[in-house]
Amino acid sequence: MPRTLTAGLPEKIGRRATVRGWVHRRRRLSHVSFLVVRDRAGLAQVIVSDEPGRRQVDGLGEKTAVAVEGTVVANPKAPGGAELTDPRITVLGSASPPPVELWRPALAAGLPALLDHAPITWRHPAQAAVWRLAAASLRGFRHTLDERGFTEIQTPKLVGGSTESGATVFTVDYFGRPAYLAQSPQFYKQIMVGVFERVYEVGPVFRAEPHDTARHLAEYVSLDVELGFIDDHRDVLAVLREVLAGMLEAIRTDVPDAVAPAGARLPEVPERIPVIHFRDALALVGAHPDEPDLAPEHERRIGRWALEEHGSDFVAVEGHPARKRPFYTSPQPDDPRWTNSFDLLFRGLELVTGGQRLHEYADYAQALADRGEATGPYEPYLQAFRHGMPPHGGFALGLERWTARLVGADNIRRTTLFPRDLHRLTP
Ligand code: AMO
């Protein structure tokens, strides 16, 4: 008999149907037993009244994979308004007791247990809902950009050098010589602007983060965008605004039922994201004017300011000091101490970095020389800039930080399927 999803049972009232899923819960009353089966579409209740059937149900551990053929009967009290009676239950995959109780509405596990048992804990509906938000966000990201003339690219993750200053790189043995895991697709996405004008990439990137923080991973999913023929970084910010709106729209239309179980609070994206210059941001938080970076506490303070002054969960800080930005960053035309770049804060946490890039070969040579670096190792990339690169810019958004912020998670690891950090390489 073909499979019926639990959500499709109401259409089969009065007929026999087979559902396939996992034992979610069992309840034995004096004359009848209830078996609740979960599949990807929801829950189905099965009524078992014969004694051999009840004994079989007693022996089915939680999470046993089963097929249940039964007669579909209307019952307003059952999930979806229909249940199965006179069942024939077949075990498809046996199960020993799970390390956490998955049938409870909230998963009662501390972070270490949650991560150690990730293959099981992701099965909890509240956990699964978190990833459904991430998956819908990815669809919204792609859809928004596809509609605006962007081409998706995939670039190497085994590379010959670092792209992001500050963060450290993982070295791998590449046929006897050193290679590195890509920190970002930065150079490649810029190069591909010369081909397609507008590109994006969704892929893993690697940072040998030596710190154990609640917002850093050693591997994360980077949502990268790059576009040509811009006037400045504000054009990039305008695309970012559209992308954020598209990601939220996909959540609202594709997985509205995941929002509450995941504990998510969806933000409104304002028509214009408020922007504050780095210089003014330092003054706002009372930091020294020579401070090269914003501390996490500063970011939280600016986030609160954006909410109070502009009613916005998002705020862009633009103009970061040139000495703290990667060499490919375009200077602010009227004052090269600053840059045409930005960080986007979402509820007081950096979610996105972006900006305008240098696009003339000579400017790259100068920028590298200013940092005491030779162009040699960069030549394979820099050749693109000898051959007519337009003014361009882009941004990168960290997927795990996005979902962590949406659901108010205290640690980015809670929204990462299988986090990699200083201490964790399994599961
Ligand atoms: P950046 O290094 O700031 O910029 O990274 C962009 C965004 O990626 C996320 N992120 C991280 N998420 C989890 N763990 C980490 N260790 C981690 N590091 C960064 C953050 C951050 O805002 N090439 C530039 C982007 C560009 O200019 O296009 C870059 O990679 O959400």
Side-chain angles (χ1 to χ4, degrees):
M1 189 178 289
R3 179 185 186 188
T4 302
L5 288 176
T6 52
L9 285 180
E11 290 152 34
K12 301 229 165 154
I13 287 171
R15 284 186 278 157
R16 296 286 285 176
T18 299
V19 297
R20 293 179 195 197
W22 290 273
V23 172
H24 181 64
R25 263 221 95 175
R26 292 163 299 153
R27 232 163 2 117
R28 171 179 262 277
L29 306 184
S30 55
H31 296 297
V32 71
S33 293
F34 292 94
L35 168 66
V36 180
V37 175
R38 171 180 293 283
D39 67 8
R40 68 175 192 273
L43 299 172
Q45 179 166 287
V46 183
I47 309 296
V48 190
S49 34
D50 65 298
E51 202 38 49
R54 295 180 75 193
R55 276 200 302 275
Q56 185 189 13
V57 169
D58 289 343
L60 294 176
E62 202 187 301
K63 284 295 154 191
T64 305
V66 290
V68 183
E69 185 199 321
T71 305
V72 187
V73 176
N75 176 0
K77 287 200 202 126
E83 64 191 9
L84 289 170
T85 58
D86 301 322
R88 203 159 58 83
I89 302 167
T90 311
V91 172
L92 302 175
S94 62
S96 43
V100 289
E101 287 182 310
L102 293 167
W103 57 268
R104 289 190 186 277
L107 195 51
L111 186 60
L114 192 79
L115 303 181
D116 287 345
H117 300 298
I120 317 299
T121 53
W122 275 109
R123 295 190 190 183
H124 189 277
Q127 278 294 107
V130 169
W131 187 258
R132 291 174 68 212
L133 299 181
S137 301
L138 289 173
R139 277 198 297 280
F141 177 81
R142 289 191 162 103
H143 178 71
T144 307
L145 295 165
D146 289 342
E147 275 198 327
R148 286 165 178 73
F150 284 76
T151 298
E152 180 164 3
I153 56 171
Q154 288 292 327
T155 65
K157 303 304 157 216
L158 279 169
V159 296
S162 72
T163 48
E164 307 304 323
S165 48
T168 33
V169 285
F170 285 108
T171 309
V172 294
D173 177 355
Y174 192 69
F175 304 117
R177 61 193 165 103
Y180 307 96
L181 296 180
Q183 293 170 306
S184 76
Q186 184 61 38
F187 293 148
Y188 291 110
K189 66 176 179 171
Q190 289 184 254
I191 290 168
M192 294 307 286
V193 165
V195 181
F196 294 116
E197 288 188 23
R198 306 183 136 206
V199 295
Y200 70 87
E201 176 163 358
V202 175
V205 295
F206 306 88
R207 305 279 172 103
E209 297 283 352
H211 312 295
D212 208 356
T213 80
R215 58 191 198 147
H216 289 98
L217 298 164
E219 174 177 353
Y220 67 92
V221 179
S222 186
L223 277 54
D224 272 89
V225 169
E226 199 73 17
L227 62 150
F229 299 102
I230 61 170
D231 288 331
D232 60 25
H233 61 293
R234 292 289 186 105
D235 289 343
V236 178
L237 193 55
V239 173
L240 172 57
R241 192 227 156 256
E242 304 279 282
V243 164
L244 292 169
M247 291 166 73
L248 287 161
E249 178 61 20
I251 291 176
R252 289 195 176 95
T253 55
D254 295 1
V255 293
D257 57 315
V259 174
R265 196 162 55 85
L266 302 186
E268 293 299 324
V269 185
E271 234 11 84
R272 279 176 63 87
I273 290 176
V275 181
I276 182 169
H277 195 279
F278 187 85
R279 190 190 332 106
D280 305 326
L282 286 181
L284 181 79
V285 301
H288 192 275
D290 287 339
E291 202 66 55
D293 236 333
L294 293 171
E297 178 44 35
H298 295 153
E299 291 183 351
R300 286 193 284 274
R301 174 76 191 80
I302 296 163
R304 287 199 295 275
W305 170 82
L307 195 58
E308 284 156 17
E309 289 294 312
H310 300 279
S312 173
D313 280 323
F314 301 97
V315 54
V317 181
E318 68 175 2
H320 293 70
R323 67 199 150 101
K324 280 300 277 188
R325 283 311 226 204
F327 68 91
Y328 53 75
T329 313
S330 195
Q332 186 176 306
D334 61 353
D335 187 344
R337 283 174 304 168
W338 308 110
T339 57
N340 268 7
S341 70
F342 63 82
D343 277 357
L344 180 91
L345 312 185
F346 175 27
R347 295 180 177 151
L349 175 75
E350 179 203 311
L351 172 68
V352 180
T353 297
Q356 183 178 2
R357 329 297 189 183
L358 302 175
H359 64 280
E360 294 286 359
Y361 178 87
D363 293 337
Y364 275 97
Q366 188 60 53
L368 284 166
D370 290 347
R371 289 172 195 234
E373 285 200 65
T375 52
Y378 298 95
E379 283 299 342
Y381 311 109
L382 294 183
Q383 58 181 311
F385 300 96
R386 291 182 190 269
H387 303 283
M389 281 292 286
H392 65 282
F395 63 83
L397 181 154
L399 178 68
E400 297 82 354
R401 279 199 194 176
W402 164 249
T403 28
R405 238 38 205 152
L406 282 182
V407 305
D410 58 353
N411 194 309
I412 192 172
R413 289 161 185 76
R414 288 188 188 277
T415 57
T416 307
L417 282 183
F418 302 103
R420 294 290 174 260
D421 64 25
L422 209 50
H423 308 290
R424 192 171 285 278
L425 198 53
T426 59

